[in-house]
Amino acid sequence: MKPLYLDYHATTPVDPRVLADMLPFFTEQFGNPHSKQHAWGWEARDAVDRARAQVAALINASPSEVVFTSGATESSNLALRGAMDARGGLARRSLGEGGNHVITVATEHKSVLDVCRGFEQQGCAVTVIGVGRDGLIDLEALRAALTPRTRLVSVMAANNEIGTLQPIAAVGAIVRAHGALFHTDAAQAIGKVPIDVRAMSIDLLSLTGHKFYGPKGCGALFVRRMKPKLALTPQVAGGGQENGLRSGTLNVPGIVGLGRAAEICRLEMAEESARLASLRDRLLDGLRARLSDVRVNGSLEHRLPHNLHVSFDGIEGEALLMALGDLAVSTGSACASGSQAVSHVMAAIGATSDHASASIRFGLGRTTAGDEIDFAIDRVATVVSALRKGAVSV
Ligand SMILES: *Cc1c(COP(=O)(O)O)cnc(C)c1O
């Protein structure tokens, strides 16, 4: 029997309703949406337009502001590199004109941090602001970091390890008032908590299908329509698709799936997130009822509803995972798995290496049921108790 999957921050399965919508676009409806001269092209084009509207509706954008990509990694690369490459060129009269300073946060995903490291090597100034023990940025620190040269600020909506929700609306207001561009990596937040690009003053937003029950390898970048136009330098050149921002034939089945996945989240998110939060609380309460010294990492209040990241004092996370063969969970970040070093997120919240290595991330999902949570509580409590007593086999 396969273990119980509680690693929904790493990826999610495709919802069967999403798959059903995608399937015809692999076979009968295989047209290229750029073929303007026949019905195959037209029906593919219609499907892509529908998906664009579905993605836009989830974040209160307009369809023309959605650029399809291969996922959040590509979206963030396009947003950050595209905005910085365009400095002084087409973007002259747009926000953050000519600036060569970028601000980001220590707990960002590698796809943002590594791009920013690249900026530094090109002589651009990068300020990485820290977070508190709760994982939250300090808005005063953000204000203090802004300079007249700041072109871009990138702050993630939700953290993929400890689930912390940053105060995105407040960040957006500060950055907009300053006249810089605001990018947010919303890969984990999308479909779990409401995101409104207008109310939150977001200029650029990255999302990826496989984190909200859509397909892998398909995502989008929201690019706010503004005057003068927010010019991004394309990072993939070619046939000029997606308004020249991202060349290459569109992944029609993937895009259809991304759109349907977005629509399902829009309709079901409120109820589903409440259900997940109550299951998450049941998991924490259950662990605490059976074990002492269970520490929650990051803010409990400003947190994704389906995330629990806890440390069990005195335990090695790796040993715990080995003993917990019937639970598919993760230590630290799945994206950085394989590396033995303390996660940069745990380091940023001030965790010692002992504390960090004693941590486990639970991610709950759409099919997680109450009896599965009870099973997880029992398995974790049994294994942690045994490991603490020094028992060899559990
Ligand atoms: C998963 C994830 C990404 C990357 O998404 P891809 O689909 O791998 O491109 C980026 N940021 C965060 C916060 C993520 O959780």
Side-chain angles (χ1 to χ4, degrees), residues 184-235:
T184 188
D185 171 355
Q188 292 287 339
I190 286 293
K192 311 300 187 313
V193 293
I195 296 284
D196 180 324
V197 292
R198 300 271 171 267
M200 296 172 166
S201 311
I202 295 166
D203 298 309
L204 297 154
L205 175 146
S206 304
L207 59 86
T208 187
H210 72 105
K211 302 286 175 73
F212 59 98
Y213 307 89
K216 293 172 180 60
C218 194
L221 176 66
F222 158 76
V223 182
R224 185 166 75 89
R225 200 173 46 212
M226 56 176 97
K227 276 198 180 115
K229 193 168 172 248
L230 198 183
L232 294 179
T233 300
Q235 304 296 306

mmCIF file of all heavy atoms in Angstrom, residues 184-235:
data_model
loop_
_atom_site.group_PDB
_atom_site.id
_atom_site.type_symbol
_atom_site.label_atom_id
_atom_site.label_comp_id
_atom_site.label_asym_id
_atom_site.label_seq_id
_atom_site.Cartn_x
_atom_site.Cartn_y
_atom_site.Cartn_z
ATOM 1 N N THR A 184 4.664 39.489 -6.823
ATOM 2 C CA THR A 184 4.467 38.493 -5.776
ATOM 3 C C THR A 184 4.442 37.084 -6.360
ATOM 4 O O THR A 184 3.812 36.838 -7.396
ATOM 5 C CB THR A 184 3.206 38.775 -4.929
ATOM 6 O OG1 THR A 184 3.190 37.869 -3.809
ATOM 7 C CG2 THR A 184 1.901 38.587 -5.702
ATOM 8 N N ASP A 185 5.169 36.178 -5.709
ATOM 9 C CA ASP A 185 5.134 34.759 -6.047
ATOM 10 C C ASP A 185 3.958 34.184 -5.254
ATOM 11 O O ASP A 185 4.037 34.031 -4.034
ATOM 12 C CB ASP A 185 6.466 34.122 -5.636
ATOM 13 C CG ASP A 185 6.462 32.598 -5.747
ATOM 14 O OD1 ASP A 185 5.405 32.014 -6.050
ATOM 15 O OD2 ASP A 185 7.529 32.002 -5.513
ATOM 16 N N ALA A 186 2.875 33.895 -5.972
ATOM 17 C CA ALA A 186 1.654 33.428 -5.306
ATOM 18 C C ALA A 186 1.425 31.937 -5.547
ATOM 19 O O ALA A 186 0.304 31.447 -5.435
ATOM 20 C CB ALA A 186 0.455 34.243 -5.771
ATOM 21 N N ALA A 187 2.498 31.213 -5.846
ATOM 22 C CA ALA A 187 2.364 29.790 -6.190
ATOM 23 C C ALA A 187 1.625 28.995 -5.111
ATOM 24 O O ALA A 187 0.812 28.131 -5.416
ATOM 25 C CB ALA A 187 3.737 29.175 -6.454
ATOM 26 N N GLN A 188 1.900 29.293 -3.839
ATOM 27 C CA GLN A 188 1.249 28.543 -2.766
ATOM 28 C C GLN A 188 -0.081 29.151 -2.342
ATOM 29 O O GLN A 188 -0.942 28.447 -1.810
ATOM 30 C CB GLN A 188 2.172 28.462 -1.537
ATOM 31 C CG GLN A 188 3.413 27.617 -1.738
ATOM 32 C CD GLN A 188 3.118 26.115 -1.777
ATOM 33 O OE1 GLN A 188 2.083 25.650 -1.295
ATOM 34 N NE2 GLN A 188 4.037 25.361 -2.356
ATOM 35 N N ALA A 189 -0.234 30.445 -2.547
ATOM 36 C CA ALA A 189 -1.437 31.128 -2.052
ATOM 37 C C ALA A 189 -2.647 30.917 -2.965
ATOM 38 O O ALA A 189 -3.791 30.858 -2.493
ATOM 39 C CB ALA A 189 -1.150 32.631 -1.911
ATOM 40 N N ILE A 190 -2.376 30.795 -4.260
ATOM 41 C CA ILE A 190 -3.470 30.721 -5.234
ATOM 42 C C ILE A 190 -4.401 29.542 -4.949
ATOM 43 O O ILE A 190 -3.951 28.405 -4.777
ATOM 44 C CB ILE A 190 -2.879 30.604 -6.670
ATOM 45 C CG1 ILE A 190 -2.309 31.950 -7.115
ATOM 46 C CG2 ILE A 190 -3.905 30.091 -7.663
ATOM 47 C CD1 ILE A 190 -3.335 33.044 -7.323
ATOM 48 N N GLY A 191 -5.667 29.840 -4.894
ATOM 49 C CA GLY A 191 -6.659 28.792 -4.676
ATOM 50 C C GLY A 191 -6.833 28.396 -3.221
ATOM 51 O O GLY A 191 -7.669 27.562 -2.897
ATOM 52 N N LYS A 192 -6.015 28.978 -2.327
ATOM 53 C CA LYS A 192 -6.125 28.658 -0.905
ATOM 54 C C LYS A 192 -6.625 29.853 -0.113
ATOM 55 O O LYS A 192 -7.407 29.711 0.827
ATOM 56 C CB LYS A 192 -4.760 28.231 -0.332
ATOM 57 C CG LYS A 192 -4.020 27.192 -1.135
ATOM 58 C CD LYS A 192 -4.819 25.916 -1.266
ATOM 59 C CE LYS A 192 -4.042 24.782 -1.933
ATOM 60 N NZ LYS A 192 -3.318 25.164 -3.170
ATOM 61 N N VAL A 193 -6.127 31.031 -0.486
ATOM 62 C CA VAL A 193 -6.560 32.274 0.163
ATOM 63 C C VAL A 193 -6.915 33.267 -0.946
ATOM 64 O O VAL A 193 -6.364 33.193 -2.041
ATOM 65 C CB VAL A 193 -5.460 32.861 1.088
ATOM 66 C CG1 VAL A 193 -5.215 31.963 2.288
ATOM 67 C CG2 VAL A 193 -4.169 33.093 0.333
ATOM 68 N N PRO A 194 -7.854 34.183 -0.681
ATOM 69 C CA PRO A 194 -8.250 35.115 -1.741
ATOM 70 C C PRO A 194 -7.085 36.019 -2.156
ATOM 71 O O PRO A 194 -6.361 36.534 -1.310
ATOM 72 C CB PRO A 194 -9.366 35.943 -1.089
ATOM 73 C CG PRO A 194 -9.810 35.162 0.103
ATOM 74 C CD PRO A 194 -8.628 34.373 0.556
ATOM 75 N N ILE A 195 -6.908 36.163 -3.457
ATOM 76 C CA ILE A 195 -5.900 37.070 -3.999
ATOM 77 C C ILE A 195 -6.611 37.977 -4.996
ATOM 78 O O ILE A 195 -7.280 37.489 -5.909
ATOM 79 C CB ILE A 195 -4.769 36.303 -4.732
ATOM 80 C CG1 ILE A 195 -3.987 35.406 -3.774
ATOM 81 C CG2 ILE A 195 -3.843 37.280 -5.459
ATOM 82 C CD1 ILE A 195 -3.013 36.111 -2.857
ATOM 83 N N ASP A 196 -6.486 39.285 -4.781
ATOM 84 C CA ASP A 196 -7.136 40.270 -5.639
ATOM 85 C C ASP A 196 -6.059 41.262 -6.070
ATOM 86 O O ASP A 196 -5.596 42.069 -5.267
ATOM 87 C CB ASP A 196 -8.250 40.962 -4.826
ATOM 88 C CG ASP A 196 -8.993 42.020 -5.637
ATOM 89 O OD1 ASP A 196 -8.358 42.711 -6.453
ATOM 90 O OD2 ASP A 196 -10.220 42.161 -5.425
ATOM 91 N N VAL A 197 -5.653 41.161 -7.327
ATOM 92 C CA VAL A 197 -4.516 41.976 -7.784
ATOM 93 C C VAL A 197 -4.820 43.479 -7.725
ATOM 94 O O VAL A 197 -3.904 44.274 -7.563
ATOM 95 C CB VAL A 197 -4.056 41.581 -9.209
ATOM 96 C CG1 VAL A 197 -3.440 40.187 -9.202
ATOM 97 C CG2 VAL A 197 -5.190 41.684 -10.222
ATOM 98 N N ARG A 198 -6.101 43.834 -7.833
ATOM 99 C CA ARG A 198 -6.454 45.258 -7.757
ATOM 100 C C ARG A 198 -6.388 45.741 -6.303
ATOM 101 O O ARG A 198 -5.695 46.693 -5.985
ATOM 102 C CB ARG A 198 -7.868 45.493 -8.305
ATOM 103 C CG ARG A 198 -8.035 45.089 -9.755
ATOM 104 C CD ARG A 198 -7.694 46.223 -10.741
ATOM 105 N NE ARG A 198 -7.677 45.718 -12.106
ATOM 106 C CZ ARG A 198 -6.595 45.268 -12.748
ATOM 107 N NH1 ARG A 198 -5.412 45.288 -12.184
ATOM 108 N NH2 ARG A 198 -6.678 44.792 -13.969
ATOM 109 N N ALA A 199 -7.112 45.055 -5.438
ATOM 110 C CA ALA A 199 -7.163 45.480 -4.030
ATOM 111 C C ALA A 199 -5.786 45.415 -3.385
ATOM 112 O O ALA A 199 -5.512 46.146 -2.431
ATOM 113 C CB ALA A 199 -8.145 44.595 -3.266
ATOM 114 N N MET A 200 -4.919 44.541 -3.894
ATOM 115 C CA MET A 200 -3.600 44.356 -3.271
ATOM 116 C C MET A 200 -2.493 45.122 -3.990
ATOM 117 O O MET A 200 -1.318 44.946 -3.659
ATOM 118 C CB MET A 200 -3.272 42.860 -3.202
ATOM 119 C CG MET A 200 -4.242 42.092 -2.308
ATOM 120 S SD MET A 200 -3.983 40.303 -2.427
ATOM 121 C CE MET A 200 -4.923 39.758 -0.986
ATOM 122 N N SER A 201 -2.863 45.940 -4.975
ATOM 123 C CA SER A 201 -1.885 46.768 -5.718
ATOM 124 C C SER A 201 -0.723 45.935 -6.263
ATOM 125 O O SER A 201 0.444 46.324 -6.156
ATOM 126 C CB SER A 201 -1.318 47.888 -4.829
ATOM 127 O OG SER A 201 -2.343 48.584 -4.186
ATOM 128 N N ILE A 202 -1.061 44.786 -6.838
ATOM 129 C CA ILE A 202 -0.029 43.896 -7.408
ATOM 130 C C ILE A 202 0.185 44.244 -8.883
ATOM 131 O O ILE A 202 -0.777 44.434 -9.631
ATOM 132 C CB ILE A 202 -0.478 42.424 -7.262
ATOM 133 C CG1 ILE A 202 -0.551 42.037 -5.776
ATOM 134 C CG2 ILE A 202 0.465 41.483 -8.026
ATOM 135 C CD1 ILE A 202 -1.291 40.726 -5.508
ATOM 136 N N ASP A 203 1.448 44.345 -9.294
ATOM 137 C CA ASP A 203 1.773 44.624 -10.693
ATOM 138 C C ASP A 203 2.105 43.351 -11.469
ATOM 139 O O ASP A 203 1.821 43.253 -12.662
ATOM 140 C CB ASP A 203 2.971 45.582 -10.775
ATOM 141 C CG ASP A 203 2.670 46.921 -10.123
ATOM 142 O OD1 ASP A 203 1.632 47.516 -10.461
ATOM 143 O OD2 ASP A 203 3.450 47.358 -9.253
ATOM 144 N N LEU A 204 2.739 42.399 -10.785
ATOM 145 C CA LEU A 204 3.181 41.161 -11.419
ATOM 146 C C LEU A 204 2.935 40.020 -10.428
ATOM 147 O O LEU A 204 3.263 40.159 -9.239
ATOM 148 C CB LEU A 204 4.687 41.225 -11.734
ATOM 149 C CG LEU A 204 5.136 42.300 -12.741
ATOM 150 C CD1 LEU A 204 6.592 42.694 -12.511
ATOM 151 C CD2 LEU A 204 4.946 41.782 -14.167
ATOM 152 N N LEU A 205 2.354 38.910 -10.908
ATOM 153 C CA LEU A 205 2.054 37.796 -10.000
ATOM 154 C C LEU A 205 2.339 36.471 -10.704
ATOM 155 O O LEU A 205 1.918 36.265 -11.839
ATOM 156 C CB LEU A 205 0.589 37.880 -9.556
ATOM 157 C CG LEU A 205 0.053 36.732 -8.688
ATOM 158 C CD1 LEU A 205 -0.986 37.260 -7.690
ATOM 159 C CD2 LEU A 205 -0.567 35.612 -9.530
ATOM 160 N N SER A 206 3.065 35.587 -10.017
ATOM 161 C CA SER A 206 3.394 34.268 -10.570
ATOM 162 C C SER A 206 2.501 33.193 -9.962
ATOM 163 O O SER A 206 2.280 33.176 -8.747
ATOM 164 C CB SER A 206 4.843 33.896 -10.225
ATOM 165 O OG SER A 206 5.736 34.879 -10.688
ATOM 166 N N LEU A 207 2.028 32.286 -10.826
ATOM 167 C CA LEU A 207 1.260 31.145 -10.328
ATOM 168 C C LEU A 207 1.591 29.906 -11.156
ATOM 169 O O LEU A 207 2.127 30.018 -12.267
ATOM 170 C CB LEU A 207 -0.242 31.444 -10.335
ATOM 171 C CG LEU A 207 -0.921 31.804 -11.654
ATOM 172 C CD1 LEU A 207 -1.359 30.552 -12.411
ATOM 173 C CD2 LEU A 207 -2.159 32.667 -11.397
ATOM 174 N N THR A 208 1.289 28.733 -10.602
ATOM 175 C CA THR A 208 1.597 27.476 -11.293
ATOM 176 C C THR A 208 0.488 26.454 -11.062
ATOM 177 O O THR A 208 -0.002 26.303 -9.935
ATOM 178 C CB THR A 208 2.974 26.935 -10.834
ATOM 179 O OG1 THR A 208 3.328 25.801 -11.627
ATOM 180 C CG2 THR A 208 3.003 26.547 -9.360
ATOM 181 N N GLY A 209 0.064 25.780 -12.130
ATOM 182 C CA GLY A 209 -1.110 24.918 -12.084
ATOM 183 C C GLY A 209 -1.049 23.776 -11.089
ATOM 184 O O GLY A 209 -2.044 23.469 -10.423
ATOM 185 N N HIS A 210 0.113 23.143 -10.958
ATOM 186 C CA HIS A 210 0.153 21.895 -10.178
ATOM 187 C C HIS A 210 0.107 22.103 -8.676
ATOM 188 O O HIS A 210 0.089 21.138 -7.919
ATOM 189 C CB HIS A 210 1.371 21.054 -10.565
ATOM 190 C CG HIS A 210 2.682 21.577 -10.088
ATOM 191 N ND1 HIS A 210 3.361 21.010 -9.047
ATOM 192 C CD2 HIS A 210 3.435 22.615 -10.506
ATOM 193 C CE1 HIS A 210 4.500 21.665 -8.856
ATOM 194 N NE2 HIS A 210 4.563 22.648 -9.730
ATOM 195 N N LYS A 211 0.042 23.355 -8.226
ATOM 196 C CA LYS A 211 -0.124 23.602 -6.800
ATOM 197 C C LYS A 211 -1.605 23.763 -6.444
ATOM 198 O O LYS A 211 -1.952 23.856 -5.284
ATOM 199 C CB LYS A 211 0.673 24.836 -6.360
ATOM 200 C CG LYS A 211 2.186 24.763 -6.632
ATOM 201 C CD LYS A 211 2.909 23.825 -5.691
ATOM 202 C CE LYS A 211 4.389 23.660 -6.029
ATOM 203 N NZ LYS A 211 5.223 24.797 -5.712
ATOM 204 N N PHE A 212 -2.462 23.859 -7.477
ATOM 205 C CA PHE A 212 -3.902 23.958 -7.178
ATOM 206 C C PHE A 212 -4.732 23.012 -8.060
ATOM 207 O O PHE A 212 -5.760 23.361 -8.583
ATOM 208 C CB PHE A 212 -4.410 25.409 -7.198
ATOM 209 C CG PHE A 212 -4.252 26.185 -8.487
ATOM 210 C CD1 PHE A 212 -5.305 26.301 -9.383
ATOM 211 C CD2 PHE A 212 -3.062 26.839 -8.786
ATOM 212 C CE1 PHE A 212 -5.174 27.042 -10.559
ATOM 213 C CE2 PHE A 212 -2.918 27.588 -9.948
ATOM 214 C CZ PHE A 212 -3.983 27.673 -10.846
ATOM 215 N N TYR A 213 -4.240 21.754 -8.181
ATOM 216 C CA TYR A 213 -5.003 20.677 -8.818
ATOM 217 C C TYR A 213 -5.143 20.835 -10.325
ATOM 218 O O TYR A 213 -6.051 20.291 -10.944
ATOM 219 C CB TYR A 213 -6.376 20.489 -8.123
ATOM 220 C CG TYR A 213 -6.199 20.313 -6.640
ATOM 221 C CD1 TYR A 213 -6.187 21.410 -5.774
ATOM 222 C CD2 TYR A 213 -5.948 19.056 -6.113
ATOM 223 C CE1 TYR A 213 -5.950 21.260 -4.424
ATOM 224 C CE2 TYR A 213 -5.717 18.893 -4.755
ATOM 225 C CZ TYR A 213 -5.715 19.991 -3.920
ATOM 226 O OH TYR A 213 -5.475 19.830 -2.584
ATOM 227 N N GLY A 214 -4.209 21.577 -10.910
ATOM 228 C CA GLY A 214 -4.081 21.647 -12.361
ATOM 229 C C GLY A 214 -2.847 20.852 -12.769
ATOM 230 O O GLY A 214 -2.194 20.219 -11.933
ATOM 231 N N PRO A 215 -2.517 20.894 -14.057
ATOM 232 C CA PRO A 215 -1.379 20.104 -14.549
ATOM 233 C C PRO A 215 -0.022 20.729 -14.233
ATOM 234 O O PRO A 215 0.074 21.932 -13.993
ATOM 235 C CB PRO A 215 -1.613 20.098 -16.070
ATOM 236 C CG PRO A 215 -2.393 21.348 -16.335
ATOM 237 C CD PRO A 215 -3.247 21.593 -15.127
ATOM 238 N N LYS A 216 1.000 19.898 -14.235
ATOM 239 C CA LYS A 216 2.376 20.381 -14.089
ATOM 240 C C LYS A 216 2.852 20.996 -15.407
ATOM 241 O O LYS A 216 2.350 20.655 -16.474
ATOM 242 C CB LYS A 216 3.287 19.219 -13.691
ATOM 243 C CG LYS A 216 2.989 18.682 -12.300
ATOM 244 C CD LYS A 216 3.765 17.422 -12.003
ATOM 245 C CE LYS A 216 3.458 16.904 -10.597
ATOM 246 N NZ LYS A 216 2.023 16.568 -10.379
ATOM 247 N N GLY A 217 3.828 21.871 -15.296
ATOM 248 C CA GLY A 217 4.410 22.458 -16.508
ATOM 249 C C GLY A 217 3.540 23.506 -17.156
ATOM 250 O O GLY A 217 3.690 23.800 -18.343
ATOM 251 N N CYS A 218 2.596 24.054 -16.415
ATOM 252 C CA CYS A 218 1.716 25.075 -16.960
ATOM 253 C C CYS A 218 1.397 26.098 -15.875
ATOM 254 O O CYS A 218 0.959 25.733 -14.780
ATOM 255 C CB CYS A 218 0.438 24.426 -17.476
ATOM 256 S SG CYS A 218 -0.507 25.541 -18.503
ATOM 257 N N GLY A 219 1.647 27.355 -16.153
ATOM 258 C CA GLY A 219 1.389 28.403 -15.174
ATOM 259 C C GLY A 219 1.096 29.706 -15.875
ATOM 260 O O GLY A 219 0.809 29.729 -17.077
ATOM 261 N N ALA A 220 1.145 30.786 -15.129
ATOM 262 C CA ALA A 220 0.853 32.087 -15.724
ATOM 263 C C ALA A 220 1.561 33.196 -14.962
ATOM 264 O O ALA A 220 1.926 33.033 -13.790
ATOM 265 C CB ALA A 220 -0.661 32.342 -15.730
ATOM 266 N N LEU A 221 1.752 34.294 -15.690
ATOM 267 C CA LEU A 221 2.213 35.529 -15.068
ATOM 268 C C LEU A 221 1.148 36.587 -15.309
ATOM 269 O O LEU A 221 0.731 36.795 -16.450
ATOM 270 C CB LEU A 221 3.549 35.989 -15.682
ATOM 271 C CG LEU A 221 4.074 37.335 -15.160
ATOM 272 C CD1 LEU A 221 4.457 37.252 -13.684
ATOM 273 C CD2 LEU A 221 5.273 37.813 -15.988
ATOM 274 N N PHE A 222 0.700 37.221 -14.235
ATOM 275 C CA PHE A 222 -0.184 38.382 -14.357
ATOM 276 C C PHE A 222 0.706 39.611 -14.553
ATOM 277 O O PHE A 222 1.667 39.810 -13.800
ATOM 278 C CB PHE A 222 -1.026 38.540 -13.086
ATOM 279 C CG PHE A 222 -1.563 39.942 -12.881
ATOM 280 C CD1 PHE A 222 -2.645 40.410 -13.616
ATOM 281 C CD2 PHE A 222 -0.952 40.801 -11.971
ATOM 282 C CE1 PHE A 222 -3.115 41.716 -13.429
ATOM 283 C CE2 PHE A 222 -1.418 42.096 -11.783
ATOM 284 C CZ PHE A 222 -2.513 42.553 -12.516
ATOM 285 N N VAL A 223 0.401 40.384 -15.583
ATOM 286 C CA VAL A 223 1.142 41.627 -15.856
ATOM 287 C C VAL A 223 0.117 42.756 -15.896
ATOM 288 O O VAL A 223 -0.726 42.797 -16.802
ATOM 289 C CB VAL A 223 1.896 41.564 -17.204
ATOM 290 C CG1 VAL A 223 2.698 42.845 -17.432
ATOM 291 C CG2 VAL A 223 2.816 40.355 -17.267
ATOM 292 N N ARG A 224 0.142 43.634 -14.927
ATOM 293 C CA ARG A 224 -0.870 44.680 -14.834
ATOM 294 C C ARG A 224 -0.812 45.621 -16.042
ATOM 295 O O ARG A 224 0.260 46.050 -16.459
ATOM 296 C CB ARG A 224 -0.692 45.505 -13.551
ATOM 297 C CG ARG A 224 -1.803 46.530 -13.341
ATOM 298 C CD ARG A 224 -1.793 47.083 -11.935
ATOM 299 N NE ARG A 224 -0.731 48.029 -11.692
ATOM 300 C CZ ARG A 224 -0.831 49.352 -11.908
ATOM 301 N NH1 ARG A 224 -1.950 49.868 -12.380
ATOM 302 N NH2 ARG A 224 0.186 50.138 -11.629
ATOM 303 N N ARG A 225 -2.001 45.891 -16.568
ATOM 304 C CA ARG A 225 -2.100 46.851 -17.656
ATOM 305 C C ARG A 225 -2.012 48.239 -17.044
ATOM 306 O O ARG A 225 -2.739 48.562 -16.099
ATOM 307 C CB ARG A 225 -3.439 46.664 -18.364
ATOM 308 C CG ARG A 225 -3.493 47.236 -19.765
ATOM 309 C CD ARG A 225 -4.793 46.851 -20.437
ATOM 310 N NE ARG A 225 -5.918 47.070 -19.524
ATOM 311 C CZ ARG A 225 -7.034 46.338 -19.502
ATOM 312 N NH1 ARG A 225 -7.190 45.348 -20.332
ATOM 313 N NH2 ARG A 225 -7.993 46.599 -18.639
ATOM 314 N N MET A 226 -1.099 49.042 -17.517
ATOM 315 C CA MET A 226 -0.954 50.392 -16.972
ATOM 316 C C MET A 226 -0.483 51.315 -18.074
ATOM 317 O O MET A 226 -0.074 50.873 -19.151
ATOM 318 C CB MET A 226 0.032 50.383 -15.800
ATOM 319 C CG MET A 226 1.399 49.812 -16.128
ATOM 320 S SD MET A 226 2.545 49.933 -14.729
ATOM 321 C CE MET A 226 2.433 48.328 -13.981
ATOM 322 N N LYS A 227 -0.564 52.613 -17.761
ATOM 323 C CA LYS A 227 -0.121 53.611 -18.730
ATOM 324 C C LYS A 227 0.943 54.483 -18.103
ATOM 325 O O LYS A 227 0.699 55.025 -17.036
ATOM 326 C CB LYS A 227 -1.310 54.482 -19.172
ATOM 327 C CG LYS A 227 -2.109 53.852 -20.274
ATOM 328 C CD LYS A 227 -2.970 54.904 -20.976
ATOM 329 C CE LYS A 227 -3.787 54.278 -22.093
ATOM 330 N NZ LYS A 227 -5.217 54.318 -21.871
ATOM 331 N N PRO A 228 2.121 54.663 -18.687
ATOM 332 C CA PRO A 228 2.536 53.912 -19.881
ATOM 333 C C PRO A 228 2.708 52.435 -19.562
ATOM 334 O O PRO A 228 2.809 52.055 -18.413
ATOM 335 C CB PRO A 228 3.878 54.545 -20.251
ATOM 336 C CG PRO A 228 4.366 55.167 -18.987
ATOM 337 C CD PRO A 228 3.162 55.550 -18.186
ATOM 338 N N LYS A 229 2.701 51.662 -20.620
ATOM 339 C CA LYS A 229 2.716 50.214 -20.520
ATOM 340 C C LYS A 229 3.892 49.703 -19.684
ATOM 341 O O LYS A 229 4.990 50.231 -19.768
ATOM 342 C CB LYS A 229 2.839 49.671 -21.944
ATOM 343 C CG LYS A 229 2.570 48.226 -22.080
ATOM 344 C CD LYS A 229 2.439 47.889 -23.585
ATOM 345 C CE LYS A 229 2.365 46.405 -23.743
ATOM 346 N NZ LYS A 229 3.497 45.809 -24.379
ATOM 347 N N LEU A 230 3.632 48.678 -18.870
ATOM 348 C CA LEU A 230 4.709 48.027 -18.134
ATOM 349 C C LEU A 230 5.456 47.149 -19.138
ATOM 350 O O LEU A 230 4.960 46.115 -19.562
ATOM 351 C CB LEU A 230 4.118 47.147 -17.018
ATOM 352 C CG LEU A 230 5.025 46.696 -15.867
ATOM 353 C CD1 LEU A 230 4.240 45.787 -14.938
ATOM 354 C CD2 LEU A 230 6.293 46.039 -16.284
ATOM 355 N N ALA A 231 6.619 47.618 -19.535
ATOM 356 C CA ALA A 231 7.376 46.878 -20.542
ATOM 357 C C ALA A 231 8.233 45.819 -19.866
ATOM 358 O O ALA A 231 8.976 46.108 -18.940
ATOM 359 C CB ALA A 231 8.247 47.833 -21.333
ATOM 360 N N LEU A 232 8.088 44.581 -20.316
ATOM 361 C CA LEU A 232 8.950 43.505 -19.844
ATOM 362 C C LEU A 232 9.757 43.047 -21.047
ATOM 363 O O LEU A 232 9.219 42.946 -22.152
ATOM 364 C CB LEU A 232 8.125 42.322 -19.328
ATOM 365 C CG LEU A 232 7.276 42.517 -18.080
ATOM 366 C CD1 LEU A 232 6.534 41.216 -17.765
ATOM 367 C CD2 LEU A 232 8.131 42.934 -16.898
ATOM 368 N N THR A 233 11.028 42.748 -20.850
ATOM 369 C CA THR A 233 11.822 42.188 -21.942
ATOM 370 C C THR A 233 11.567 40.686 -21.977
ATOM 371 O O THR A 233 11.764 40.006 -20.970
ATOM 372 C CB THR A 233 13.316 42.472 -21.717
ATOM 373 O OG1 THR A 233 13.487 43.884 -21.665
ATOM 374 C CG2 THR A 233 14.161 41.899 -22.841
ATOM 375 N N PRO A 234 11.089 40.169 -23.123
ATOM 376 C CA PRO A 234 10.825 38.725 -23.190
ATOM 377 C C PRO A 234 12.087 37.930 -22.905
ATOM 378 O O PRO A 234 13.186 38.359 -23.246
ATOM 379 C CB PRO A 234 10.376 38.500 -24.637
ATOM 380 C CG PRO A 234 10.204 39.837 -25.246
ATOM 381 C CD PRO A 234 10.857 40.860 -24.383
ATOM 382 N N GLN A 235 11.923 36.771 -22.271
ATOM 383 C CA GLN A 235 13.074 35.924 -21.980
ATOM 384 C C GLN A 235 13.135 34.740 -22.942
ATOM 385 O O GLN A 235 14.115 34.008 -22.962
ATOM 386 C CB GLN A 235 13.014 35.446 -20.520
ATOM 387 C CG GLN A 235 12.916 36.583 -19.504
ATOM 388 C CD GLN A 235 14.150 37.487 -19.495
ATOM 389 O OE1 GLN A 235 15.267 37.008 -19.337
ATOM 390 N NE2 GLN A 235 13.952 38.792 -19.679
#
